[in-house]
Amino acid sequence: MHRSYHMGSKSVEDMIEALSGVHFSGFHMKGLEPRNAEKLTTSLGAQNVHKQPFVIGVAGGAASGKTTVCDMIIQQLHDQRVVLVNQDSFYHNLTEEELARVHEYNFDHPDAFDTEKLLDSMENLRLDRAVDIPNYDFRSYKNNVFAARRVNPSDVIILEGILIFHDPRVRELMNMKIFVDTDADVRLARRIKRDTVEKGRDIGAVLDQYSKFVKPAFDDFILPTKKYADIIIPRGGDNHVAIDLIVQHIRTKLGQHELCKIYPNLYVIQSTFQIRGMHTLIRDSQTTKHDFVFYADRLIRLVVEHGLGHLPFTEKQVITPTGSVYTGVDFCKRLCGVSVIRSGESMENALRACCKGIKIGKILIHREGDNGQQLIYEKLPQDISERHVLLLDPILGTGNSAVQAISLLIKKGVPESNIIFLNLISAPQGVHVVCKSFPRVKIVTSEIDIGLNEDFRVVPGMGEFGDRYFGTDDDDDSQQLADQGY
Ligand SMILES: Nc1ncnc2c1ncn2[C@@H]1O[C@H](COP(=O)(O)OP(=O)(O)O)[C@@H](O)[C@H]1O
Ligand SMILES: Nc1ccn([C@@H]2O[C@H](COP(=O)(O)O)[C@@H](O)[C@H]2O)c(=O)n1
Ligand SMILES: [Mg+2]
């Protein structure tokens, strides 16, 4: 079988080419036009889908524990590509004159750093280019460009330094800002130890520098940037709870699919090994019908539960058997399911199991050839316009059926924001089409696939879901068992 992949993590040009080819030739709407269809072909060009690194800024006073915190984060993110860029590497080199009177030089002032160079290096890293970061020598006060460190583009860039939050252009690069907050006496004690032992400095000079430059600069330039921090870590590296939470947050952000950054209403359920395992089984062409149904049902249940989490709720208080008040929430009552026949019907049981007595409507969309779609049957609750709708279809491919179904619901008076589309796998093309046409519809899916093949089937995909689930494909159990010699 030959396959051509129309889209994976490709350039914008590839994506537009793929989209215009796949979605808009032979798009039979039959009076159900998506509202932004025309805009869709052009507006995607403006979207930057290049994978940007996650940039974390770590600021705080000298010897507060910034490097220690960064090292701990890097250690815990062991399976990610992480690089540490230190603001120290961008200290200006001193002139001979300045060097001769080094005790009068203020290393804690924002002007001591070459911020333009730092911005340039960061820009290159963001553009996926390796950079050479100079190595600063605290003993000689020299930035050694010959012993520069080659830093490769990475998934996570940690930018550390006393004044890393000072310049707004540097702050803007950051996805997360951390301020390490350690008491002044602890910082001074550590500084004395570090500067005398590691930098070979005289204790008198260390204390002079502290009172003349370090302390005033902390009060004037560093402390005022604390307000920009998203997270303030008291006690630095001793604060294991804060570091665990930060690492967890970074992991969640990194796990997010790129499309989730473009479309805020797209929700991909957090991947676990259990979920990957279930996907592995249902995607395997050798899996028996019995196993396919079992694992598809498990996954569907997860997607349904996740989708229900997006329904509105009201606060409710109840009295527990101990006579105490429990303040909880009341489920949204005005909801219904709508399955796209036939595959969508496989999701009805999971919805019924979660929402007792839920009304379920049906839509049948006929596929004309591979690209055209025609709505040929609908049976929906009379009062559907007053309900939140969970639209059920296990696969979002080209997006044509989904657009048909959502257009019908909107025509029936369902507000766009009351529609939650639940599926197991989504092709990026389908996501673009649905999210662009209906930006207020929520999509909940368990995995985003690579793209579509030349037959407009999702790849890697899982084949014809309805056939595999309802056992109407050629490769049914008995055939497989026979193949296996039973
Ligand atoms: N929680 C801690 N307990 C004891 N010593 C620490 C702790 N955190 C850092 N240090 C020590 O203090 C000094 C400064 O820490 P460092 O992480 O380099 O701070 P910064 O990067 O903010 O200047 C180092 O010698 C380090 O070993
Ligand atoms: N030649 C230099 C350059 C800088 N300092 C001091 O280093 C401190 C910043 O480094 P951290 O690792 O503590 O963030 C800052 O307070 C400068 O005074 C120096 O002493 N000599
Ligand atoms: Mg440091």
Side-chain angles (χ1 to χ4, degrees):
M1 179 167 49
H2 70 283
R3 283 175 173 164
S4 72
Y5 291 2
H6 288 252
M7 199 178 81
S9 50
K10 293 277 193 291
S11 69
V12 174
E13 286 76 13
D14 289 348
M15 211 180 259
I16 294 165
E17 199 183 312
L19 274 170
S20 48
V22 174
H23 300 291
F24 298 106
S25 56
F27 196 74
H28 298 178
M29 293 305 295
K30 296 267 155 66
L32 295 170
E33 305 293 341
R35 282 165 301 132
N36 296 329
E38 215 176 288
K39 266 197 219 149
L40 178 61
T41 41
T42 50
S43 59
L44 267 174
Q47 228 126 51
N48 178 8
V49 290
H50 164 68
K51 195 170 186 295
Q52 294 286 322
F54 190 82
V55 181
I56 306 166
V58 180
S64 57
K66 298 183 295 299
T67 306
T68 308
V69 165
C70 293
D71 288 346
M72 289 169 78
I73 294 174
I74 292 168
Q75 212 176 2
Q76 289 196 32
L77 284 173
H78 54 89
D79 53 349
Q80 299 289 342
R81 294 189 312 152
V82 191
V83 286
L84 179 64
V85 176
N86 203 309
Q87 194 180 20
D88 296 343
S89 303
F90 299 92
Y91 265 121
H92 283 297
N93 266 323
L94 303 193
T95 61
E96 286 305 316
E97 238 172 278
E98 287 166 336
L99 207 50
R101 303 155 72 92
V102 76
H103 300 302
E104 289 167 29
Y105 192 88
N106 189 350
F107 289 99
D108 293 68
H109 192 279
D111 292 346
F113 298 96
D114 186 347
T115 302
E116 302 306 318
K117 195 166 175 192
L118 184 148
L119 283 165
D120 187 57
S121 299
M122 286 301 292
E123 181 61 9
N124 276 313
L125 283 174
R126 278 159 62 89
L127 292 172
D128 230 21
R129 299 185 198 129
V131 289
D132 290 325
I133 307 263
N135 219 338
Y136 190 71
D137 179 10
F138 284 88
R139 282 176 179 262
S140 63
Y141 307 98
K142 289 231 157 55
N143 237 328
N144 193 346
V145 279
F146 301 108
R149 182 171 61 106
R150 171 55 58 104
V151 173
N152 289 312
S154 293
D155 299 328
V156 182
I157 301 174
I158 306 184
L159 203 48
E160 182 224 312
I162 50 172
L163 284 161
I164 217 74
F165 295 166
H166 181 75
D167 191 307
R169 294 168 303 165
V170 182
R171 278 202 310 271
E172 267 166 32
L173 300 172
M174 298 166 187
N175 302 95
M176 185 198 252
K177 297 187 220 49
I178 300 171
F179 191 92
V180 181
D181 201 11
T182 305
D183 291 345
D185 54 348
V186 177
R187 281 189 276 117
L188 176 59
R190 287 184 190 160
R191 187 181 179 103
I192 293 171
K193 195 169 162 199
R194 187 177 64 177
D195 284 7
T196 51
V197 177
E198 287 171 28
K199 297 180 189 165
R201 293 183 187 170
D202 167 68
I203 186 162
V206 174
L207 291 173
D208 277 352
Q209 185 194 7
Y210 186 82
S211 55
K212 205 167 165 190
F213 298 122
V214 180
K215 186 174 162 36
F218 179 81
D219 295 335
D220 294 346
F221 303 115
I222 302 173
L223 192 58
T225 67
K226 186 169 148 180
K227 63 173 176 282
Y228 299 119
D230 304 305
I231 302 159
I232 295 164
I233 311 187
R235 307 182 310 283
D238 287 340
N239 197 332
H240 292 267
V241 174
I243 290 161
D244 283 354
L245 287 171
I246 290 165
V247 170
Q248 246 179 53
H249 179 80
I250 299 167
R251 283 194 181 286
T252 306
K253 289 285 167 194
L254 290 175
Q256 254 187 17
H257 194 278
E258 284 304 295
L259 287 174
C260 298
K261 295 177 191 161
I262 303 173
Y263 302 116
N265 279 342
L266 170 66
Y267 302 92
V268 184
I269 65 176
Q270 180 139 22
S271 186
T272 62
F273 286 121
Q274 280 296 312
I275 290 175
R276 299 273 293 151
M278 290 181 239
H279 267 281
T280 309
L281 275 149
I282 63 171
R283 286 160 182 280
D284 186 345
S285 59
Q286 296 302 307
T287 296
T288 61
K289 182 204 168 232
H290 182 268
D291 280 355
F292 182 86
V293 171
F294 182 84
Y295 291 105
D297 280 346
R298 263 187 79 188
L299 267 175
I300 291 167
R301 181 72 183 248
L302 287 175
V303 170
V304 167
E305 288 284 7
H306 202 99
L308 293 172
H310 290 283
L311 290 169
F313 58 85
T314 45
E315 197 181 292
K316 185 181 180 183
Q317 288 193 334
V318 292
I319 308 295
T320 70
T322 63
S324 325
V325 176
Y326 176 84
T327 305
V329 294
D330 203 6
F331 293 132
C332 165
K333 303 252 167 38
R334 308 290 299 164
L335 72 150
C336 72
V338 170
S339 59
V340 178
I341 300 172
R342 170 175 68 131
S343 313
E345 292 175 301
S346 65
M347 302 172 79
E348 293 179 1
N349 280 344
L351 187 58
R352 285 200 184 90
C354 297
C355 310
K356 204 157 42 103
I358 189 171
K359 282 194 174 181
I360 297 185
K362 291 180 194 284
I363 296 177
L364 176 61
I365 294 159
H366 176 64
R367 201 186 274 162
E368 281 176 4
D370 270 322
N371 221 6
Q373 308 282 319
Q374 193 188 352
L375 175 77
I376 57 169
Y377 172 81
E378 47 135 306
K379 187 166 180 359
L380 302 169
Q382 285 288 318
D383 57 352
I384 194 162
S385 63
E386 291 150 35
R387 294 174 182 269
H388 285 260
V389 177
L390 295 148
L391 181 63
L392 313 173
D393 195 351
I395 299 184
L396 170 60
T398 62
N400 291 349
S401 309
V403 166
Q404 282 272 355
I406 295 166
S407 299
L408 174 69
L409 294 174
I410 290 172
K411 206 173 154 206
K412 294 281 176 188
V414 182
E416 194 177 306
S417 53
N418 282 7
I419 302 171
I420 304 176
F421 178 30
L422 307 180
N423 61 69
L424 288 188
I425 58 170
S426 297
Q429 288 93 330
V431 171
H432 284 299
V433 167
V434 174
C435 292
K436 282 277 171 185
S437 305
F438 309 106
R440 287 186 291 281
V441 167
K442 294 186 181 74
I443 300 180
V444 177
T445 188
S446 63
E447 274 190 1
I448 307 258
D449 274 29
I450 293 172
L452 301 174
N453 66 13
E454 58 192 16
D455 301 321
F456 308 108
R457 300 281 182 260
V458 180
V459 281
M462 57 177 89
E464 279 297 326
F465 187 92
D467 283 341
R468 294 188 72 188
Y469 191 92
F470 296 109
T472 47
D473 57 347
D474 296 332
D475 280 351
D476 65 3
D477 272 358
S478 50
Q479 183 61 48
Q480 283 184 37
L481 291 171
D483 290 347
Q484 288 162 17
Y486 290 98

